[in-house]
């Protein structure tokens, strides 16, 4: 799945939407101390009050929010895993009612093997997402909703509970202040801890060999959840891919690189991303990195790049996710770090930055087209070399 696929599903998560049908919602309350299923309940989603539906819908949107390979990860299932989550989830996808609930209880058992710091609530929904096909022609009378791609799915969110707030209230009738005492825990639906969507839906096709996993925090996936609960294969975060790329570049051309060359490197990679925007997110192997460096003006040898991949990743055939190296190319800021100050600049503007020697001192020079401002004041121009 890519960000467009995730966005297509997320935007459908709203009440009174004829393109999304949620059949059942299944909640399981887990006690932190014993990791027991204290209580569970399944009911038709439409039986919930509209306010409750809205709360859960926002919870589902939250768990599907974030950048791919930072917060959201498409996991490939391991083959021949014991008590396979792929098999459990696939059986649940084909089943209904009690059959689906039984499979979700099996997933719950896998999730509660390790104790939690607080009581938690695990929520599953069984639904169907429909994507309208496009009209064949402008002259056609056929509505885009006459034919749809249908995708049954299971979505899971894990939410912690909080102790109710202690409050002082004023009673208008009795005309007195009262201490409000609540003992029922509050489910924090605004900040899901983790979750997953099965199956992945890519380009209008359901992929039961992959599951979409939501990490607790960006670039901080729970590897126990990935490997033991979902039985997913090993992953690399965007942050880790970025670090590998930087180490490969340093190994091949050294740790000194001009800003203009770095700008060309990022531009080359961004072009690759844009050219493959309609296809699967592009990846870069050692040959692609060699091409990027060569097109950026660096003279490198293929074997040296290949050796760098082997040295750093233990796998010369490893592929870097291009989007992890220069995500959000036009809006991302790159930091230029010095002991005096840190400067943030977009990748495409690195070509206007130079490190120069001025009066025996190293200086950062940035080419600009207008007067620079500091706290609303325009900087007074000074001639280069003036005292």
């Amino acid at each position: 799945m890519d960000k467009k696929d995730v966005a297509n599903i997320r935007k459908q998560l709203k009440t009174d939407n004829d393109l999304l049908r949620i059949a059942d919602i299944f909640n399981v309350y887990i006690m932190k101390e014993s990791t027991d299923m204290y209580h569970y309940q399944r009911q038709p989603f439409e039986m919930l009050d509209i306010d409750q539906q809205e709360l859960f819908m926002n919870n589902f949107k939250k768990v599907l929010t974030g950048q791919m390979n930072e917060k959201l990860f498409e996991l490939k299932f391991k083959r021949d895993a014991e008590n396979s989550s792929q098999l459990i989830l696939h059986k649940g996808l084909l089943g209904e009612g009690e059959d689906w609930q039984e499979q979700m209880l099996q997933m719950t058992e896998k999730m509660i093997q390790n104790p939690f710091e607080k009581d938690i609530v695990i929520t599953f929904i069984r639904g169907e997402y429909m994507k309208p096909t496009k009209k064949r022609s402008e002259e056609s009378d056929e509505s885009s909703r006459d034919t749809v791609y249908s995708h049954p799915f299971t979505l899971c969110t894990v939410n912690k509970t909080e102790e109710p707030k202690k409050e002082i209230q004023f009673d208008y009738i009795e005309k007195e202040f009262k201490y409000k005492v609540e003992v029922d825990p509050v489910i924090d639906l605004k900040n899901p801890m983790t979750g997953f969507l099965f199956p992945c839906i890519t380009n209008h096709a359901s992929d039961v060999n992959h599951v979409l996993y939501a990490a607790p925090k960006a670039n901080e996936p729970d590897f126990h959840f990935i490997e033991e609960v979902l039985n997913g294969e090993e992953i690399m975060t965007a942050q880790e891919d970025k670090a590998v790329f930087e180490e490969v570049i340093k190994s091949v051309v050294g740790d000194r690189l001009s800003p203009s060359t770095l700008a060309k490197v990022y531009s080359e990679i961004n072009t690759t991303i844009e050219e493959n925007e309609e296809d699967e997110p592009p990846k870069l192997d050692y040959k692609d990195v060699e091409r990027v460096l060569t097109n950026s003006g660096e003279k490198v040898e293929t074997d040296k790049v290949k050796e760098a991949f082997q040295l750093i990743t233990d796998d010369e055939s490893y592929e870097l996710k291009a989007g992890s190296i220069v995500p959000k190319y036009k809006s991302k800021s790159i930091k230029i770090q010095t002991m005096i100050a840190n400067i943030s600049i977009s990748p495409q503007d690195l070509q206007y930055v130079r490190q120069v020697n001025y009066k025996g001192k190293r200086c950062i020079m940035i080419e600009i087209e207008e007067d620079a401002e500091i706290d609303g004041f325009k900087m007074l121009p000074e001639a280069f070399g003036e005292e």
Side-chain angles (χ1 to χ4, degrees):
M1 297 183 73
D2 59 21
K3 60 182 181 181
K4 289 184 178 179
D5 294 317
V6 177
N8 282 335
I9 297 175
R10 189 172 58 241
K11 72 181 181 181
Q12 301 300 335
L13 292 169
K14 53 190 176 184
T15 56
D16 300 323
N17 179 14
D18 61 346
L19 292 176
L20 181 73
R21 297 172 187 165
I22 299 179
D24 294 323
I25 182 168
F26 180 45
N27 290 304
V28 187
Y29 194 97
I30 308 297
M31 303 291 287
K32 65 176 181 179
E33 297 173 351
S34 61
T35 64
D36 286 339
M37 289 186 235
Y38 182 74
H39 176 71
Y40 56 81
Q41 177 182 333
R42 175 176 59 86
Q43 64 186 119
F45 190 76
E46 62 183 12
M47 295 298 291
L48 298 178
D49 293 337
I50 188 65
D51 290 340
Q52 288 181 297
Q53 291 184 20
E54 289 284 357
L55 286 171
F56 278 110
M57 283 295 192
N58 288 332
N59 177 241
F60 304 149
K61 288 179 183 177
K62 281 278 188 180
V63 84
L64 295 179
T65 299
Q67 294 296 316
M68 293 297 297
N69 303 311
E70 292 182 8
K71 188 73 167 56
L72 301 174
F73 298 85
E74 184 180 78
L75 307 180
K76 184 177 181 180
F77 287 111
K78 292 179 182 176
R79 291 185 178 182
D80 304 321
E82 186 178 349
N83 192 22
S84 169
S85 291
Q86 181 181 17
L87 181 59
I88 294 171
L89 290 169
H90 194 247
K91 284 182 178 179
L93 198 69
L94 299 176
E96 295 183 3
E98 292 289 340
D99 293 335
W100 174 74
Q101 176 179 311
E102 181 58 34
Q103 302 307 317
M104 296 310 102
L105 284 173
Q106 289 189 47
M107 288 301 303
T108 301
E109 289 283 0
K110 299 184 73 170
M111 280 187 252
I112 62 177
Q113 293 304 308
N114 287 346
F116 292 88
E117 294 181 358
K118 296 184 177 182
D119 290 1
I120 64 165
V121 173
I122 302 174
T123 299
F124 299 93
I125 56 170
R126 179 173 65 89
E128 184 180 19
Y129 156 66
M130 286 157 285
K131 176 73 175 176
T133 59
K134 296 180 180 178
K135 287 185 179 181
R136 294 184 179 180
S137 66
E138 292 297 328
E139 293 76 20
S140 173
D141 293 329
E142 181 184 2
S143 170
S144 64
R145 294 197 176 194
D146 287 344
T147 308
V148 297
Y149 299 103
S150 176
H151 303 291
F153 68 88
T154 292
L155 178 66
C156 170
T157 64
V158 180
N159 299 281
K160 63 187 176 191
T161 62
E162 301 286 354
E163 292 183 4
K165 294 180 180 179
K166 298 176 181 178
E167 299 175 332
I168 302 294
Q169 294 183 335
F170 181 71
D171 188 328
Y172 278 102
I173 306 299
E174 300 296 331
K175 294 184 179 179
E176 62 179 355
F177 295 96
K178 291 183 177 180
Y179 177 54
K180 181 183 178 183
V181 180
E182 293 283 355
V183 295
D184 296 331
V186 177
I187 304 171
D188 184 6
L189 293 176
K190 294 182 179 179
N191 302 289
M193 298 166 61
T194 186
F196 62 84
L197 171 73
F198 176 83
C200 282
I201 301 169
T202 305
N203 293 329
H204 316 306
S206 296
D207 179 4
V208 296
N209 293 312
H210 291 82
V211 59
L212 185 69
Y213 160 71
K217 295 181 180 179
N219 291 303
E220 294 184 16
D222 182 340
F223 290 102
H224 175 270
F225 196 97
I226 290 172
E227 296 171 12
E228 302 301 326
V229 176
L230 294 176
N231 303 139
E233 291 187 351
E234 186 178 349
I235 61 168
M236 290 278 279
T237 67
Q239 194 174 62
E240 290 170 330
D241 255 359
K242 173 74 171 175
V244 168
F245 176 74
E246 291 174 356
E247 289 303 313
V248 167
I249 298 300
K250 289 177 183 178
S251 178
V252 175
V253 300
D255 60 358
R256 300 180 70 86
L257 207 62
S258 70
S260 59
T261 299
L262 189 58
K264 291 176 183 177
V265 168
Y266 285 140
S267 179
E268 282 286 329
I269 297 173
N270 186 62
T271 299
T272 301
I273 295 172
E274 290 179 342
E275 289 175 348
N276 293 273
E277 197 167 4
E278 300 301 322
D279 303 319
E280 289 187 10
K283 296 182 179 180
L284 307 176
D285 59 16
Y286 71 88
K287 293 179 182 178
D288 295 313
V289 172
E290 186 257 339
R291 171 182 54 80
V292 166
L293 289 172
T294 300
N295 292 347
S296 301
E298 293 291 324
K299 295 181 179 180
V300 296
E301 298 176 1
T302 303
D303 288 343
K304 193 170 183 179
V305 182
K306 187 177 180 180
E307 289 172 5
F309 267 72
Q310 177 63 39
L311 177 66
I312 295 163
T313 68
D314 290 327
D315 181 7
E316 65 183 34
S317 62
Y318 182 79
E319 295 180 316
L320 297 160
K321 295 179 285 290
S324 299
I325 299 170
V326 282
K328 296 184 180 179
Y329 182 72
K330 295 181 180 180
S331 60
K332 179 179 173 60
S333 293
I334 292 177
K335 287 185 179 179
I336 301 173
Q337 297 177 320
T338 73
M339 294 182 66
I340 303 298
N342 292 330
I343 304 168
S344 295
I345 194 165
S346 59
Q348 66 268 28
D349 291 332
L350 278 174
Q351 59 183 310
Y352 303 114
V353 180
R354 299 285 187 277
Q355 178 173 291
V356 299
N357 288 317
Y358 174 60
K359 294 185 178 180
K361 296 182 179 181
R362 281 175 292 186
C363 302
I364 296 292
M365 183 174 72
I366 304 175
E367 179 185 337
I368 58 176
E369 295 181 353
E370 67 286 322
D371 289 337
E373 290 190 8
I374 302 178
D375 283 343
F377 293 92
K378 290 186 177 181
M379 293 181 66
L380 182 65
E382 299 179 45
F384 197 79
E386 272 189 5
E387 293 291 342

